[in-house]
Amino acid sequence: THFRRTGLDRIRENFTESIQTKIAAAEVLSESIQTAAQMLAICLLNGNKILTCGNGASGALAQLFVSHLMSRFETARPSLPAIALTCDGNLMSSLSHFGKFEDVYAHQIRALGQQGDILLLITTEEDNRELIHAAEAALSRDMTMVILNTGDGGELAGLLGPSDVEIRCPSARFSRILEIHLLVLNCLSDLIDQTLFPQ
């Protein structure tokens, strides 16, 4: 009975904290989400592509976003060009074996990225070497960036130029950051669809 009661309390606390975090995020992030969606839509309209990456759970979110674009989000429409740089396990193990693991995304960006493409970075940590190197590689390819970030932004925030967008989650808790990042990606997917394929 005690376990059941404390379990129910903890579940309710998680739901409440999630709701409060989303209300706070809606206040501070809506404009940057709208700007990022417009950037992504224009990129796709111009015949360019979106490259995206993140580590761990953020990598799973990157793959989900690509499935929204390449397959569908909520309605059927033509496929949109996007690549998750986290998917090819053989390539990633080869790149890390013959180089440094912190360059696994940077190598791919230098090979695949072109001017006009966008790099979408997703992170729950402020200073992640793989993503910092990815951002540097994107800059070398004259790509723009959208960064789903957290904390004080860390080194990644310092790499942003005037054409880039940072969407920084107003929470330090891992689970809340993931929830906000997922909601942001859903908003981006929805706005891209509404812009490119208005009903």
Side-chain angles (χ1 to χ4, degrees), residues 12-26 176 179-180 183:
R12 290 189 184 104
E13 286 169 11
N14 271 294
F15 271 83
T16 301
E17 186 182 69
S18 180
I19 291 163
Q20 290 170 342
T21 304
K22 285 172 181 164
I23 290 168
R176 300 292 86 86
E179 290 168 359
I180 294 299
L183 184 54

Side-chain angles (χ1 to χ4, degrees), residues 50-70 82-87 105 119-123 131 148 178 181-182 185 189:
I50 298 164
L51 304 179
T52 182
C53 59
N55 288 340
S58 296
L61 290 180
Q63 292 178 41
L64 177 65
F65 183 62
V66 167
S67 77
H68 287 174
L69 297 177
M70 291 281 285
I83 302 169
L85 304 178
T86 56
C87 290
Y105 305 132
L119 176 64
L120 172 66
L121 292 169
I122 307 169
T123 182
L131 299 188
L148 274 58
L178 285 179
H181 286 176
L182 174 59
L185 293 173
S189 301

Side-chain angles (χ1 to χ4, degrees), residues 29-195:
L29 300 182
S30 292
E31 285 194 26
S32 55
I33 294 169
Q34 184 176 39
T35 302
Q38 187 175 28
M39 282 172 56
L40 293 164
I42 290 169
C43 164
L44 295 167
L45 276 171
N46 288 341
N48 291 103
K49 64 186 175 295
I50 298 164
L51 304 179
T52 182
C53 59
N55 288 340
S58 296
L61 290 180
Q63 292 178 41
L64 177 65
F65 183 62
V66 167
S67 77
H68 287 174
L69 297 177
M70 291 281 285
S71 176
R72 60 179 287 164
F73 178 53
E74 292 184 325
T75 56
R77 44 102 174 114
S79 295
L80 299 169
I83 302 169
L85 304 178
T86 56
C87 290
D88 191 331
N90 184 57
L91 173 63
M92 291 184 73
S93 64
S94 177
L95 288 173
S96 62
H97 177 71
F98 292 108
K100 295 185 213 163
F101 185 77
E102 61 192 36
D103 290 325
V104 291
Y105 305 132
H107 278 299
Q108 296 179 74
I109 292 161
R110 285 192 289 268
L112 299 170
Q114 297 178 333
Q115 184 178 16
D117 292 346
I118 290 179
L119 176 64
L120 172 66
L121 292 169
I122 307 169
T123 182
T124 58
E125 306 169 329
E126 294 164 28
D127 289 322
N128 181 294
R129 300 317 303 171
E130 293 82 31
L131 299 188
I132 290 166
H133 288 205
E136 292 168 346
L139 291 173
S140 76
R141 300 297 289 163
D142 204 18
M143 297 167 63
T144 50
M145 289 185 285
V146 174
I147 300 179
L148 274 58
N149 209 348
T150 187
D152 67 3
E155 278 189 61
L156 278 174
L159 293 171
L160 292 168
S163 300
D164 303 318
V165 175
E166 182 188 37
I167 302 169
R168 192 184 298 176
C169 177
S171 174
R173 188 173 174 190
F174 176 73
S175 54
R176 300 292 86 86
I177 297 167
L178 285 179
E179 290 168 359
I180 294 299
H181 286 176
L182 174 59
L183 184 54
V184 168
L185 293 173
N186 285 341
C187 287
L188 294 175
S189 301
D190 178 53
L191 289 168
I192 289 168
D193 275 12
Q194 292 303 313
T195 303

